[in-house]
Amino acid sequence: EAGVTQFPSHSVIEKGQTVTLRCDPISGHDNLYWYRRVMGKEIKFLLHFVKESKQDESGMPNNRFLAERTGGTYSTLKVQPAELEDSGVYFCASSQGLTVYYGYTFGSGTRLTVV
Amino acid sequence: AQSVTQLDSHVSVSEGTPVLLRCNYSSSYSPSLFWYVQHPNKGLQLLLKYTSAATLVKGINGFEAEFKKSETSFHLTKPSAHMSDAAEYFCVVTRTGGGNKLTFGTGTQLKVEL
């Protein structure tokens, strides 16, 4: 089966610009998650979709971040306007069911650099 | 609340020697614990998981980990390192039976030398 696909793999943008990251989960996986790793720090949870609904968005840093999952398939994460501290690697993951039994399948990540 | 501490940010071993990556956790709930590995330019791959069954967990590529509640530890071991094991390893905790949010450690970079 195809894995979790993220694109772009790299993005370099200027402060104040807008960037949209995309994640295509494994077909049939209702659960989709976004995580982020800022340089030198641990990977942190951003939010969780179940189908098209936001189940938990407690990790979203501020209202410059907007995540969508229209139709319950792929998801986008938009950063507008981007700030320097948004630089990092953004991971997407999907899961069939509860993490503890199924685990996540992660994508390769999008490396975002804001200059 | 839950947290994970990976005690070493970098570990270097010789090929063919044992690997030990250390992880301590803290959790207000009954924890489930995982080890993930990330090779360069690849996604995070699940190595193994503990979900309140057997305390000694075997994973892929010869790795195993032992859940020790009394020590709040979940160290990752492998008897003999291979060059292909060079990667970054993450210890992860979540709440068993509910909630899907993972809490990651800061990662341990494993270097394997000839």
Side-chain angles (χ1 to χ4, degrees):
Chain A
E1 74 183 350
V4 176
T5 305
Q6 291 186 248
F7 51 93
S9 57
H10 294 82
S11 180
V12 180
I13 62 170
E14 293 184 351
K15 177 182 172 181
Q17 288 186 323
T18 297
V19 63
T20 300
L21 313 181
R22 174 167 167 151
C23 169
D24 286 59
I26 291 174
S27 178
H29 281 194
D30 288 340
N31 294 276
L32 186 149
Y33 314 82
W34 285 96
Y35 284 79
R36 176 175 77 165
R37 188 181 195 189
V38 171
M39 183 72 73
K41 300 286 183 75
E42 66 271 30
I43 299 170
K44 285 195 170 179
F45 169 83
L46 294 178
L47 87 158
H48 170 206
F49 284 99
V50 177
K51 296 185 181 179
E52 67 275 8
S53 300
K54 292 176 185 174
Q55 181 78 10
D56 181 353
E57 52 183 329
S58 61
M60 295 288 265
N62 51 61
N63 59 11
R64 295 185 294 103
F65 289 75
L66 175 63
E68 294 180 323
R69 193 182 181 196
T70 307
T73 54
Y74 71 91
S75 175
T76 58
L77 180 64
K78 181 192 291 187
V79 185
Q80 178 182 31
E83 298 289 344
L84 298 179
E85 65 264 25
D86 300 332
S87 295
V89 181
Y90 289 76
F91 292 100
C92 175
S94 70
S95 173
Q96 226 177 331
L98 281 178
T99 307
V100 296
Y101 300 115
Y102 294 94
Y104 287 125
T105 301
F106 279 86
S108 300
T110 294
R111 183 174 296 278
L112 174 65
T113 303
V114 183
V115 298
Chain B
Q2 56 197 22
S3 65
V4 171
T5 301
Q6 291 186 243
L7 297 159
D8 306 292
S9 58
H10 292 81
V11 170
S12 184
V13 301
S14 298
E15 190 175 34
T17 64
V19 175
L20 170 64
L21 305 184
R22 298 182 294 165
C23 171
N24 286 106
Y25 70 92
S26 172
S27 179
S28 304
Y29 312 105
S30 176
S32 287
L33 292 150
F34 307 79
W35 277 97
Y36 280 84
V37 61
Q38 186 181 24
H39 293 273
N41 300 315
K42 300 284 188 180
L44 292 154
Q45 180 185 20
L46 179 64
L47 273 180
L48 49 81
K49 61 183 177 183
Y50 165 77
T51 57
S52 73
T55 56
L56 182 62
V57 181
K58 294 187 184 298
I60 61 172
N61 300 333
F63 284 95
E64 63 181 40
E66 187 171 8
F67 174 73
K68 292 187 177 180
K69 187 176 180 179
S70 61
E71 299 176 11
T72 60
S73 69
F74 190 59
H75 302 334
L76 182 70
T77 61
K78 182 174 180 177
S80 176
H82 191 272
M83 295 296 290
S84 60
D85 294 329
E88 190 165 20
Y89 292 78
F90 296 92
C91 184
V92 180
V93 65
T94 192
R95 179 179 177 179
T96 299
N100 292 277
K101 187 185 305 183
L102 300 180
T103 299
F104 283 77
T106 50
T108 298
Q109 197 72 240
L110 176 64
K111 183 178 180 181
V112 182
E113 299 172 315
L114 287 171

